[in-house]
Amino acid sequence: MSDEDADHVSIITIERHILDEQRIHPEATGVLTNLLYDIALAGKVIASKTTRAGLAEILGRTGAVNVQGEVVQKLDRLADLTIYRLNDHTGRVAVLASEEHPDILPIPDQYPTGKYVLLYDPLDGSSNIDFNIPIGTIFAIYQRLSPETERGTLEDCLQPGKNMVAAGYILYGSSTMLVYSTGMGVHGFTLDPSVGEFLRSHPNITIPQKPVYFSANHGYNMYWSRGVQEYTRYLQGKYGGPADLSLRYVGSLVADFHRNLLSGGVFYYPADNRDPQKPHGKLRLVYEAAPLAFLAEQAGGYASNGLCNILDIQPTALHERTPLFIGSRDLVEKAEEYIRRYDS
Ligand code: AFP
């Protein structure tokens, strides 16, 4: 077989890809590699449940309300537990924090702690579960700040996104995909259910130069600031804006982000004045905005809160919310321009 043929038929599993990345760093100990495997395994377990959601009693609500005041779906709880249990005993993680819990999730006393911090949104977009619309898991990995001899702390979890070591998401859609970056580009893997393995399907993802989509919940237009309303008109082709953008909004952040990552475009969930309790919009800085901002930058894009880079923001609380503009760099910078001009 010629080299060219061999290249053409080569199947790259996620294990092989992560190991190849590790080899580029001779100083790497393999701990991050194994942590990423653990997350991939969690993704497979969660995918096996989400694909059966309409069949099993899994579908439906638990009746509980989470810390965000939202109804907790059974699948949320299952995804949350899966990720925690696959990572609480490995000695790779110092502390975890999940969007489903008000406080940090310590490693149980009987297990050792490790050098990484794992933050995750176990099942984002879960209000879409009943409608068979894609949902996703989002994760961010940091190095701990606290001494290795101690238990992980809240401070370990409240780091600005620019400290991130790795981030990614698992999208449970018409197929299951894992997309991640360790700061060496963004790579996508599709789960082959027949062999139970993530295979590399989207190497080196970069956001295309020419944007195709814009995505926001226009039902809230009247609650947006003047700057965001004018920006929206720009995206619709006014004021010299692009005249050919198509509007797509799923209402599942991972799905909306994934589409715009592959096609080019901008997703925004701005601040609005619907609810005085939530003046900064709906999305969470550490669980949603920061990890996706890391991926956007690695793919040549950008994410902002309308005023500054999401990755520069120092979180002050685990469940802090932030406005988010994310995707093609030019379009996100344009949002900042409109917000500066009309809202400050
Ligand atoms: P749920 O997890 O409650 O479905 O919220 C999903 C989400 O946080 C994010 O995935 C969406 O982009 C956003 O909310 C959709 O919110 P709206 O329904 O207000 O547009």
Side-chain angles (χ1 to χ4, degrees):
M1 200 183 291
S2 72
D3 279 359
E4 206 174 291
D5 287 344
D7 216 36
H8 186 67
V9 296
S10 70
I11 294 172
I12 312 282
T13 63
I14 193 159
E15 277 80 3
R16 178 170 162 190
H17 179 93
I18 296 173
L19 263 179
D20 285 349
E21 278 197 337
Q22 186 191 317
R23 283 196 197 100
I24 297 171
H25 293 281
E27 75 289 358
T29 57
V31 178
L32 180 63
T33 298
N34 284 307
L35 175 52
L36 290 167
Y37 291 167
D38 295 337
I39 293 169
L41 176 59
K44 289 184 208 173
V45 174
I46 298 167
S48 74
K49 305 295 181 200
T50 57
T51 48
R52 301 181 63 247
L55 299 171
E57 296 146 14
I58 294 163
L59 184 65
R61 299 185 174 85
T62 59
V65 170
N66 72 7
V67 66
Q68 314 291 343
E70 297 152 347
V71 175
V72 180
Q73 304 276 337
K74 281 186 184 170
L75 270 175
D76 293 47
R77 205 166 64 183
L78 195 139
D80 184 41
L81 265 180
T82 301
I83 297 172
Y84 181 70
R85 294 219 172 118
L86 283 172
N87 288 285
D88 68 350
H89 61 282
T90 60
R92 303 190 240 283
V93 178
V95 60
L96 298 89
S98 158
E99 196 234 328
E100 292 296 333
H101 297 268
D103 301 314
I104 59 170
L105 301 172
I107 299 295
D109 285 344
Q110 69 266 35
Y111 299 127
T113 59
K115 61 178 174 181
Y116 290 107
V117 177
L118 176 59
L119 308 177
Y120 63 97
D121 181 351
L123 217 49
D124 185 69
S126 53
S127 62
N128 284 321
I129 292 171
D130 286 352
F131 312 112
N132 209 353
I133 290 171
I135 45 187
T137 297
I138 308 175
F139 63 91
I141 299 172
Y142 293 84
Q143 233 151 18
R144 71 185 298 170
L145 301 171
S146 56
E148 290 227 14
T149 47
E150 292 170 18
R151 303 273 112 188
T153 63
L154 175 62
E155 198 200 1
D156 288 326
C157 299
L158 296 181
Q159 300 190 48
K162 64 184 176 203
N163 290 3
M164 215 176 295
V165 172
Y169 58 81
I170 303 154
L171 175 61
Y172 312 101
S174 45
S175 59
T176 299
M177 277 197 72
L178 190 154
V179 176
Y180 86 97
S181 175
T182 55
M184 290 189 288
V186 180
H187 308 284
F189 302 79
T190 303
L191 183 65
D192 181 341
S194 61
V195 293
E197 194 57 86
F198 280 108
L199 305 180
R200 193 170 72 188
S201 50
H202 297 67
N204 293 312
I205 298 171
T206 51
I207 301 179
Q209 278 298 315
K210 185 165 165 28
V212 178
Y213 298 114
F214 71 115
S215 315
N217 190 335
H218 286 252
Y220 306 145
N221 184 68
M222 64 185 285
Y223 303 106
W224 291 341
S225 67
R226 168 98 193 273
V228 175
Q229 289 174 343
E230 294 294 336
Y231 172 59
T232 302
R233 289 192 188 98
Y234 168 84
L235 294 173
Q236 290 166 332
K238 310 237 167 56
Y239 317 134
D244 52 358
L245 290 186
S246 184
L247 169 67
R248 294 280 163 88
Y249 185 74
V250 173
S252 227
L253 179 59
V254 176
D256 279 311
F257 176 78
H258 183 69
R259 182 197 53 244
N260 292 0
L261 179 73
L262 296 186
S263 299
V266 62
F267 169 95
Y268 53 110
Y269 203 113
D272 60 53
N273 60 18
R274 277 178 302 151
D275 179 353
Q277 303 295 320
K278 296 178 190 164
H280 303 299
K282 181 180 183 188
L283 302 180
R284 297 84 178 168
L285 176 59
V286 300
Y287 301 112
E288 298 172 309
L292 297 187
F294 183 82
L295 293 170
E297 282 210 0
Q298 283 294 316
Y302 175 50
S304 169
N305 66 357
L307 299 170
C308 70
N309 189 330
I310 289 284
L311 296 175
D312 287 338
I313 302 173
Q314 168 65 55
T316 55
L318 277 179
H319 295 279
E320 180 173 337
R321 295 175 194 265
T322 180
L324 176 65
F325 300 80
I326 189 166
S328 300
R329 178 168 281 277
D330 290 356
L331 293 183
V332 176
E333 285 175 349
K334 201 48 119 174
E336 290 179 329
E337 200 180 302
Y338 273 88
I339 287 167
R340 261 196 312 269
R341 189 181 319 157
Y342 291 103
D343 299 342
S344 48

